[in-house]
Amino acid sequence: NILNNPKITEKEIVKVASKRPNSPNILRLISTHKRWGTRYVVKKALVQNPYTPPRISLGLLEFLFSQDLKEVVKDGMLHPQVRMAAKERLEEKG
């Protein structure tokens, strides 16, 4: 219900997506929401949250800019598979 509230702001959604610890189900709902799941800052917050299921983070990596991918690669709190995939994505971008 909160995600569909017209008064909720992107800043508030990013705060929820960044919250640690967080429920994987809540993070999944945010990532698939038609309004919020398409916003760059929300995608970035989800990828950078170690509580986001790796499958979701891996799917969102393709949308991140190079500088954000570099942050993901360096973040030791994130799942190793996510960090490795971010490194590969960076290499693809050249």
Side-chain angles (χ1 to χ4, degrees):
N1 288 338
I2 292 173
L3 295 175
N4 293 320
N5 184 334
K7 293 182 180 181
I8 192 122
T9 65
E10 183 178 84
K11 184 177 179 181
E12 292 168 315
I13 295 297
V14 169
K15 188 174 181 180
V16 172
S18 301
K19 185 177 180 229
R20 299 174 189 191
N22 205 335
S23 162
N25 289 332
I26 290 172
L27 298 171
R28 187 176 293 111
L29 285 172
I30 293 170
S31 72
T32 58
H33 192 272
K34 66 180 181 175
R35 179 176 173 199
W36 302 114
T38 58
R39 309 268 179 118
Y40 183 83
V41 291
V42 173
K43 291 177 185 179
K44 179 181 168 189
L46 288 168
V47 171
Q48 292 179 323
N49 189 333
Y51 291 90
T52 301
R55 177 180 281 175
I56 293 171
S57 294
L58 291 170
L60 296 174
L61 285 176
E62 69 181 277
F63 300 104
L64 296 188
F65 297 131
S66 295
Q67 67 266 21
D68 297 325
L69 287 170
K70 288 176 186 174
E71 289 179 27
V72 171
V73 171
K74 293 177 186 176
D75 190 341
M77 297 293 294
L78 298 177
H79 193 283
Q81 190 176 15
V82 173
R83 292 172 54 213
M84 185 182 306
K87 184 177 180 182
E88 290 171 2
R89 183 83 176 123
L90 262 175
E91 290 170 357
E92 287 173 9
K93 287 187 170 196

